[in-house]
Amino acid sequence: MKNDRKCILLTVIIFLFIGVSQPTFAQSNDKTQVGAASWYGSKYHGRKTSSGERYNKNEMTAAHKTLPFGTMVKVTNPANDQSVILRINDRGPFVGKRIIDVSEAAARKLGMHSEGVAKVKVEVLDKSDLAAATAEAKPGAYTIQTAANQQQAEVLSRKLKAFDKHLPLEMAEERVNGRKVVLLKAGRFNSRNEAEAFNELLEEEGLAGKVSEA
């Protein structure tokens, strides 16, 4: 009798392990998802994310329900073949069957800003994938540069800080064709893709410059 009970108990344990654990393993090993993406912007700008850092609508980040914080993903919009590399720093989305919430800057780069929701492919990048996808990148490799006189640079600097108080700014005097100018550098971006997406946001405010290597 005792042996029968042990067999039944062992069978239940094996069933639970196979029935519950295997799908979990399969999900964690699945590097690609296809589904609906949405984006979030000004309403959440500056608020704490689930990871503890502040959400910045101008950065290349995203919210995902299960991927570990810090995971890098490649998000592609098959409708226009636009792609971005994003870092997971928040949890969500929690609406319907959406699989990812991207930042406003990412939504603009993906061409889904006006629609609000789009079908995308999300690929988890390992170290080799990330190196290939961002071969041009190195930390703080790109900035947005504007040449102006001292007064213009100071006015632009104030406007940029009003747009994003956390935006790093740097001013330096240089000579161009024998004339003294002030070069205002805004932001430090890890890829040209990220810098261009932010510059597009600045363009809407009349604050855009030229993306260049830092």
Side-chain angles (χ1 to χ4, degrees):
M1 188 69 175
K2 289 183 178 180
N3 287 337
D4 290 342
R5 290 180 65 185
K6 286 182 179 179
C7 287
I8 293 172
L9 182 60
L10 183 59
T11 301
V12 171
I13 292 172
I14 292 173
F15 173 78
L16 289 174
F17 181 80
I18 294 176
V20 176
S21 299
Q22 278 192 341
T24 303
F25 294 158
Q27 183 181 16
S28 63
N29 288 332
D30 188 5
K31 293 178 62 178
T32 303
Q33 286 181 290
V34 175
S38 48
W39 65 270
Y40 56 135
S42 299
K43 181 180 177 181
Y44 301 94
H45 188 66
R47 293 189 185 182
K48 275 192 176 182
T49 64
S50 299
S51 67
E53 68 180 81
R54 299 282 179 181
Y55 169 66
N56 187 328
K57 67 179 183 178
N58 304 316
E59 292 182 351
M60 289 297 185
T61 58
H64 192 278
K65 294 176 184 176
T66 57
L67 289 175
F69 296 136
T71 300
M72 303 299 289
V73 296
K74 180 181 180 182
V75 181
T76 303
N77 183 351
N80 54 22
D81 205 32
Q82 291 294 312
S83 297
V84 291
I85 307 297
L86 306 178
R87 178 173 56 87
I88 302 299
N89 72 339
D90 202 0
R91 288 287 172 245
F94 301 109
V95 178
K97 296 182 179 180
R98 298 175 189 177
I99 61 172
I100 195 167
D101 250 345
V102 304
S103 66
E104 183 173 349
R108 291 180 185 277
K109 198 66 179 176
L110 288 168
M112 56 170 284
H113 182 264
S114 57
E115 292 84 358
V117 179
K119 182 181 179 181
V120 300
K121 179 171 71 172
V122 178
E123 302 170 87
V124 176
L125 301 178
D126 57 27
K127 289 182 179 180
S128 59
D129 294 330
L130 187 59
T134 59
E136 61 168 313
K138 52 186 176 181
Y142 293 89
T143 187
I144 297 169
Q145 183 172 287
T146 303
N149 60 40
Q150 185 68 39
Q151 184 179 0
Q152 290 170 334
E154 289 175 358
V155 171
L156 180 57
S157 177
R158 288 195 294 270
K159 289 182 177 179
L160 286 168
K161 276 299 183 183
F163 179 78
D164 183 353
K165 65 181 180 181
H166 301 296
L167 184 67
L169 296 176
E170 179 184 334
M171 282 195 289
E173 288 187 359
E174 294 201 10
R175 286 200 168 271
V176 177
N177 297 326
R179 186 169 59 93
K180 187 176 73 173
V181 298
V182 175
L183 292 181
L184 177 60
K185 297 180 179 181
R188 289 279 180 167
F189 306 92
N190 294 335
S191 70
R192 182 175 291 276
N193 183 38
E194 185 176 346
E196 288 176 348
F198 185 75
N199 201 34
E200 287 176 14
L201 295 178
L202 294 180
E203 188 173 6
E204 294 183 359
E205 305 295 327
L207 304 174
K210 180 182 178 181
V211 174
S212 61
E213 293 188 4

